[in-house]
C-alpha cells in the first residue's frame, strides 16, 4: 500500500520488468523497493550478430553444420534429397517475391521428396512452409508445421519462436509462454524480440489470473507489524490517535448508566479500543454499528472502516465510505476529508489510475493546506510517477509543517539520492549520502532512515556499512520482517552467502508469516537455484497474501515464468544457469 512507510520506487533503471530480471536473465536480479541487487553475476558478454533484429525468413538450412546447398540441376541426375533441396530453393525465390501460395507448394514438394532420415533438412522445410503460412496469417497451419519442425529438431529456435508468435495470435498464452521461454534459454536471454514477447504474455496471464483470483479472494488482515507501519506514516490522522481520557469503552460503567453510555460511545470508541489492543478483526463490525445507529462519530467510523477495508484488500467496500466522508461539507471534518482523499488517492494509484490519484491529492491540499500528511503521501506518489523534483518539494512542505517528521526527511534524502544516482551525478550522490548521515544523527530512533540509507549504500556497493545500517534497523524494530529480507539480499550480493541469505529471509517469515515480500524473494532465489517446484510454492504463498490486484498480477507473472521453465525442462531438457 502506497501509504505505508516503505516507499515504492518507479521502474528500475535497467528498463527490464522484475519478472525478467528476477527469473530469466542471468545478469543481476532486482527485487522489491530500493532496487536491491540479489546476485552480481558475471554473464555480461553480449552475443554478437543480429540479436535484436528480425530473424531472416525463410532459411537455407536447419543449422550451420548442415550440408552445403547444391545448385539446381537436371532432376534426372538428382537424388531425393537434392530434389527436395531444389524444390525448397524454388520456394525461397517465390517467398522473396511475396508469392506465398507458390512458395507453399514448393515447400510441400520438398517435404514429400525429403528422405525421412534427413531430419535436419526436413525440419527446415516445415519451418519454411510455416513462414509462408505466417505471411497468409494462417496461424493454426503455422503451429502445425512448427510443431513438426520442433519434433524433428527439438532445439530449433526459429521454429519455436515462430510457433510462439502464432500461439499468441491464437490466444494460447500458456503454450506461447512455454515456447518463448525455451527460446529465451536457447538464446541465453540476448534477443530483445523474444524477451519482449515473454514479458507481454506474462503480463497478460498475470492480469487475467489476478482479476479472477482477487475478485473471489477471502479478505485477509495483514500482520500487526504491517498495520502499525501503515498508521505510522500518518501524523495528522485522527482515527489512529490513542483514545482520550473519558473516551474509554464502557466495561467499568455501573449497570444503571450503561445503556445510555454504550449508545453514545457505541461502535467507534470500541473499535478504537480494539485498535489499541491490536484486536483488528473486530474493527470493521464495530464501525458498522456506529454508522447504522447514526452515533456521534459517524464520519470517523466511516473513515476507520474504509481504512481497514483497504488494509484487507477490499477497495470495493472502502470506496463508498471514503466518498461519503470526502463529500461531507462540515468544517469540523476538514481533517477527516483530507485523510480520506489521501487514502482514496493511494487506492487509485494501486489501481493504476494516476490521474485520479493526483486529483485526490491536489484536492486534499486545497481542503487542508496545513496537513503534513497530504504532502508526505503526495511526495510518495510523485516518486512513483518519476517526478522527483516535485516529490522533493512536497517533502519540504511536509518538513516545514512537521519539522520532527523523520520519515519525510529520510524519504526526501532517498528521492534526491535516486535522482542523482540514476542521473549519474557523483557530487549530488555524495550530497544525498551526507544528507542521510545528517538524518540518522538528528533522528537516531527512525528505523526508516537507516533502512533507506542502507539501500543507497548497497547500490554503491558499500556493503559493510549497509549491513551496519540494517543491524540498527533491527535493533530499533526487531519485528520488522522486511528488514531481514533486505539484509538477506545484501548477504547474497556482498558475500555471495546463499545459506546466510536464506536464513535471514526464513527469519523474516518466522517473524511475520504474512510477509509476502519474503515469500516472493525466497521464490526468486529458489528459481535461481533451479528449485522450481519450491519457487512456485513460495510464489503461491505470496499470491495469497497480495494486498492489491496489481501486486497479485506481478506475482502470478513470476509464478507463471517459473512454471513455464519446469515445462521446458521436461520437454526439451533446457534449464537456465543456476546459482
Amino acid at each position: 500500500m502506497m501509504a505505508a512507510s516503505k516507499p515504492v520506487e518507479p521502474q528500475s533503471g535497467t528498463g527490464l520488468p522484475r519478472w525478467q530480471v528476477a527469473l530469466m536473465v542471468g545478469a543481476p536480479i532486482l527485487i522489491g523497493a530500493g532496487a536491491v541487487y540479489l546476485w552480481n553475476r558475471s554473464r555480461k558478454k553480449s552475443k554478437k550478430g543480429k540479436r535484436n533484429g528480425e530473424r531472416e525468413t525463410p532459411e537455407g538450412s536447419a543449422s550451420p553444420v548442415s550440408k552445403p546447398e547444391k545448385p539446381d540441376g537436371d532432376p534426372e541426375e538428382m537424388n531425393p534429397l537434392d530434389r527436395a533441396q531444389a524444390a525448397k530453393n524454388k520456394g525461397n525465390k517465390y517467398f522473396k517475391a511475396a508469392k506465398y501460395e507458390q512458395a507453399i507448394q514448393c515447400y510441400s514438394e520438398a517435404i514429400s521428396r525429403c528422405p525421412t532420415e534427413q531430419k535436419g533438412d526436413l525440419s527446415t522445410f516445415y519451418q519454411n512452409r510455416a513462414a509462408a503460412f505466417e505471411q497468409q496469417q494462417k496461424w493454426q497451419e503455422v503451429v502445425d508445421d512448427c510443431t513438426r519442425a520442433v519434433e524433428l529438431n527439438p532445439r530449433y529456435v526459429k521454429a519455436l519462436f515462430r510457433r510462439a508468435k502464432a500461439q499468441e495470435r491464437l490466444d494460447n498464452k500458456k503454450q506461447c509462454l512455454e515456447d518463448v521461454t525455451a527460446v529465451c534459454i536457447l538464446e541465453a536471454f540476448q534477443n530483445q524480440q523474444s524477451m519482449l514477447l515473454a514479458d507481454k504474455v506474462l503480463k497478460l496471464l498475470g492480469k487475467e489470473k489476478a482479476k479472477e483470483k482477487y475478485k473471489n479472494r477471502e479478505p485477509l488482515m495483514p500482520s500487526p507489524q504491517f498495520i502499525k507501519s501503515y498508521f505510522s506514516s500518518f501524523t495528522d490522522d485522527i482515527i489512529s490517535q490513542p483514545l482520550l481520557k473519558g473516551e474509554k469503552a464502557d466495561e467499568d460503567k455501573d449497570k444503571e448508566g450503561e445503556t445510555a453510555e454504550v449508545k453514545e460511545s457505541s461502535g467507534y470508541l470500541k473499535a478504537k479500543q480494539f485498535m489499541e489492543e491490536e484486536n483488528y478483526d473486530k474493527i470493521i463490525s464495530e464501525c458498522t454499528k456506529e454508522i447504522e445507529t447514526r452515533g456521534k462519530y459517524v464520519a470517523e467510523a466511516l473513515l476507520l472502516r474504509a481504512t481497514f477495508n483497504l488494509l484487507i484488500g477490499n477497495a470495493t467496500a472502502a470506496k463508498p465510505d471514503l466518498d461519503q466522508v470526502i463529500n461531507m461539507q462540515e468544517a469540523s471534518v476538514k481533517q477527516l476529508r483530507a485523510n480520506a482523499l489521501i487514502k482514496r488517492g493511494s487506492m487509485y494509484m494501486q489501481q493504476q489510475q494516476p490521474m485520479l490519484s493526483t486529483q485526490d491529492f491536489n484536492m486534499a491540499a486545497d481542503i487542508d493546506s496545513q496537513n503534513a500528511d497530504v504532502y508526505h503521501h503526495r511526495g510518495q506518489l510523485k516518486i512513483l510517477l518519476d517526478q522527483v523534483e516535485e516529490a522533493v518539494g512536497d517533502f519540504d512542505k511536509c518538513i516545514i509543517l512537521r519539522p520532527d517528521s523523520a520519515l519525510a526527511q529520510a524519504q526526501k534524502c532517498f528521492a534526491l539520492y535516486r535522482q542523482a544516482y540514476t542521473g549519474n551525478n557523483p557530487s549530488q550522490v555524495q550530497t544525498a549520502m551526507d544528507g542521510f548521515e545528517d538524518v540518522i544523527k538528528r533522528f537516531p530512533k527512525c528505523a526508516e532512515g537507516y533502512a533507506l540509507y542502507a539501500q543507497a549504500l548497497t547500490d554503491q556497493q558499500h556493503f559493510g556499512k549497509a549491513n551496519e545500517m540494517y543491524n540498527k534497523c533491527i535493533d530499533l524494530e526487531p519485528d520488522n520482517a522486511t528488514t531481514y529480507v533486505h539484509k538477506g539480499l545484501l548477504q547474497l550480493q556482498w558475500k555471495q552467502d546463499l545459506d546466510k541469505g536464506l536464513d535471514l529471509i526464513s527469519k523474516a517469515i518466522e517473524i511475520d508469516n504474512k510477509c509476502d515480500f519474503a515469500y516472493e524473494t525466497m521464490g526468486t532465489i529458489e528459481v535461481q537455484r533451479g528449485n522450481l517446484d519450491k519457487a512456485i510454492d513460495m510464489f503461491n504463498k505470496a499470491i495469497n497474501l497480495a494486498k492489491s490486484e496489481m501486486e497479485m498480477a506481478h506475482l502470478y507473472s513470476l509464478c507463471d515464468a517459473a512454471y513455464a521453465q519446469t515445462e521446458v525442462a521436461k520437454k526439451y531438457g533446457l534449464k537456465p544457469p543456476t546459482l
Side-chain angles (χ1 to χ4, degrees):
M1 188 165 290
M2 196 183 80
S5 62
K6 187 175 73 172
V8 187
E9 279 206 273
Q11 187 80 294
S12 83
T14 62
L16 297 173
R18 276 202 292 172
W19 74 266
Q20 191 169 306
V21 193
L23 285 179
M24 307 188 83
V25 182
I29 297 170
L30 296 165
I31 300 183
V36 181
Y37 286 98
L38 167 61
W39 195 262
N40 194 11
R41 307 288 295 279
S42 59
R43 292 179 60 243
K44 292 180 183 175
K45 296 176 185 175
S46 61
K47 298 197 174 185
K48 293 179 182 177
K50 291 192 177 181
R51 281 297 183 184
N52 294 322
E54 184 68 49
R55 295 170 176 80
E56 292 176 10
T57 54
E59 62 185 329
S61 61
S63 68
V65 296
S66 293
K67 296 176 185 177
E69 292 183 24
K70 291 186 181 181
D72 297 346
D74 182 354
E76 295 301 321
E77 296 175 5
M78 289 182 178
N79 62 37
L81 180 58
D82 289 340
R83 288 179 185 176
Q85 289 284 5
K88 183 262 296 180
N89 292 343
K90 195 174 174 185
N92 286 357
K93 288 173 186 173
Y94 280 126
F95 188 98
K96 286 171 186 172
K99 294 179 178 178
Y100 302 117
E101 199 56 53
Q102 292 94 320
I104 288 165
Q105 289 172 12
C106 291
Y107 295 140
S108 298
E109 184 185 341
I111 289 164
S112 65
R113 289 185 179 279
C114 186
T116 53
E117 66 272 12
Q118 299 293 330
K119 290 185 178 180
D121 295 289
L122 195 51
S123 67
T124 301
F125 304 153
Y126 276 112
Q127 199 285 139
N128 282 12
R129 190 169 72 177
F133 280 131
E134 183 180 57
Q135 293 298 322
Q136 296 182 326
Q137 300 189 12
K138 294 181 177 176
W139 307 117
Q140 189 56 56
E141 286 85 345
V142 175
V143 168
D144 293 343
D145 272 2
C146 287
T147 299
R148 294 301 306 277
V150 171
E151 285 169 355
L152 293 159
N153 180 1
R155 299 193 174 196
Y156 197 169
V157 169
K158 195 173 283 191
L160 282 163
F161 188 64
R162 179 157 279 118
R163 186 170 68 179
K165 289 187 292 181
Q167 296 284 24
E168 184 203 5
R169 293 293 194 130
L170 292 167
D171 202 32
N172 297 332
K173 296 183 190 71
K174 182 173 173 287
Q175 293 89 334
C176 171
L177 180 59
E178 285 178 21
D179 281 345
V180 80
T181 298
V183 172
C184 287
I185 295 169
L186 285 165
E187 293 182 325
F189 306 97
Q190 297 296 317
N191 191 296
Q192 196 68 14
Q193 276 189 302
S194 42
M195 298 284 272
L196 286 170
L197 179 57
D199 180 45
K200 179 182 175 184
V201 176
L202 279 167
K203 281 178 178 170
L204 288 169
L205 274 170
K207 281 181 182 175
E208 274 182 14
K209 290 184 177 180
K211 189 172 185 178
E212 189 60 30
K213 169 94 172 177
Y214 203 77
K215 186 172 62 180
N216 300 312
R217 74 194 275 274
E218 284 290 320
L220 180 73
M221 191 66 68
S223 65
Q225 196 280 329
F226 180 89
I227 293 170
K228 283 186 275 185
S229 174
Y230 173 81
F231 281 112
S232 74
S233 68
F234 293 91
T235 53
D236 290 326
D237 185 0
I238 294 167
I239 63 167
S240 64
Q241 303 306 319
L243 282 166
L244 301 172
K245 283 184 182 177
E247 282 187 335
K248 294 289 180 187
D250 46 271
E251 286 87 349
D252 300 326
K253 304 287 177 193
D254 60 48
K255 291 282 178 190
E256 208 172 306
E258 189 174 7
T259 307
E261 187 65 27
V262 170
K263 188 172 181 184
E264 182 182 285
S265 69
S266 62
Y268 175 67
L269 295 183
K270 277 189 181 176
K272 291 269 285 186
Q273 179 133 359
F274 285 136
M275 270 186 78
E276 286 184 23
E277 295 166 1
E278 296 182 18
N279 193 352
Y280 299 120
D281 289 321
K282 294 184 178 176
I283 287 171
I284 289 174
S285 61
E286 290 301 331
C287 288
T288 301
K289 287 177 190 173
E290 180 79 18
I291 294 158
E292 287 175 349
T293 58
R294 304 304 297 169
K296 183 178 173 183
Y297 302 100
V298 169
E300 289 88 345
L302 283 164
L303 184 54
L304 186 56
R305 184 170 73 174
T307 303
F308 271 87
N309 271 316
L310 287 174
L311 283 165
I312 64 174
N314 192 350
T316 308
K319 188 177 179 298
D321 287 350
L322 293 172
D323 293 347
Q324 201 172 328
V325 175
I326 289 162
N327 291 328
M328 289 177 176
Q329 297 304 316
E330 299 89 345
S332 60
V333 297
K334 179 174 78 170
Q335 205 174 343
L336 295 175
R337 289 175 70 204
N339 188 276
L341 281 160
I342 292 168
K343 287 167 180 171
R344 192 174 72 178
S346 299
M347 179 193 79
Y348 282 140
M349 198 61 206
Q350 278 195 332
Q351 294 170 349
Q352 295 180 289
Q353 299 183 73
M355 285 181 67
L356 290 175
S357 183
T358 302
Q359 283 173 21
D360 274 359
F361 279 104
N362 294 346
M363 198 191 305
D366 290 340
I367 287 171
D368 192 3
S369 61
Q370 299 303 299
N371 188 324
D373 290 339
V374 174
Y375 304 108
H376 177 193
H377 291 285
R378 190 169 70 177
Q380 291 193 22
L381 168 71
K382 296 298 183 187
I383 289 176
L384 275 170
L385 298 175
D386 212 15
Q387 297 167 359
V388 180
E389 283 183 32
E390 290 181 38
V392 170
D394 274 338
F395 290 136
D396 279 336
K397 285 179 187 171
C398 176
I399 292 161
I400 289 165
L401 291 166
R402 289 272 182 174
D404 59 343
S405 175
L407 199 52
Q409 308 251 13
Q411 290 183 343
K412 176 190 168 182
C413 275
F414 193 72
L416 287 168
Y417 163 71
R418 290 306 301 172
Q419 185 181 40
Y421 185 71
T422 54
N424 200 21
N425 189 323
S427 63
Q428 285 184 15
V429 166
Q430 190 52 54
T431 303
M433 299 305 274
D434 293 342
F436 276 122
E437 285 287 345
D438 182 54
V439 168
I440 62 174
K441 276 178 192 160
R442 286 192 294 131
F443 303 102
K445 293 195 173 173
C446 175
E448 191 77 8
Y450 295 110
L452 293 174
Y453 190 20
Q455 290 182 32
L457 288 163
T458 303
D459 270 350
Q460 294 170 74
Q461 302 192 1
H462 299 321
F463 300 128
K465 191 161 185 183
N467 195 53
E468 285 175 34
M469 295 300 108
Y470 283 131
N471 287 337
K472 288 186 190 257
C473 276
I474 288 167
D475 290 342
L476 288 165
E477 292 184 351
D479 61 344
N480 190 328
T482 304
T483 307
Y484 284 93
V485 179
H486 281 303
K487 190 178 175 188
L489 290 169
L490 177 66
Q491 300 305 312
L492 294 174
Q493 190 184 355
W494 179 21
K495 297 187 174 176
Q496 297 171 12
D497 189 339
L498 198 61
D499 291 335
K500 181 74 182 290
L502 287 169
D503 282 348
L504 284 161
I505 296 163
S506 297
K507 173 79 173 169
I509 292 169
E510 190 182 312
I511 290 168
D512 179 4
N513 65 2
K514 292 180 178 178
C515 182
D516 52 336
F517 179 45
Y519 292 114
E520 176 189 344
T521 307
M522 186 83 84
T524 307
I525 294 169
E526 294 297 355
V527 168
Q528 287 285 309
R529 296 173 80 199
N531 299 334
L532 295 171
D533 289 338
K534 188 165 184 185
I536 290 165
D537 181 49
M538 292 293 111
F539 290 139
N540 279 322
K541 284 181 176 171
I543 285 164
N544 290 329
L545 295 166
K547 296 176 186 73
S548 71
E549 191 176 318
M550 187 170 73
E551 189 181 328
M552 189 179 278
H554 157 70
L555 290 163
Y556 266 122
S557 294
L558 295 178
C559 194
D560 285 336
Y563 182 74
Q565 287 191 29
T566 65
E567 294 303 295
V568 166
K570 284 178 201 165
K571 284 184 182 177
Y572 308 112
L574 289 171
K575 290 183 181 180
T578 54
L579 296 177

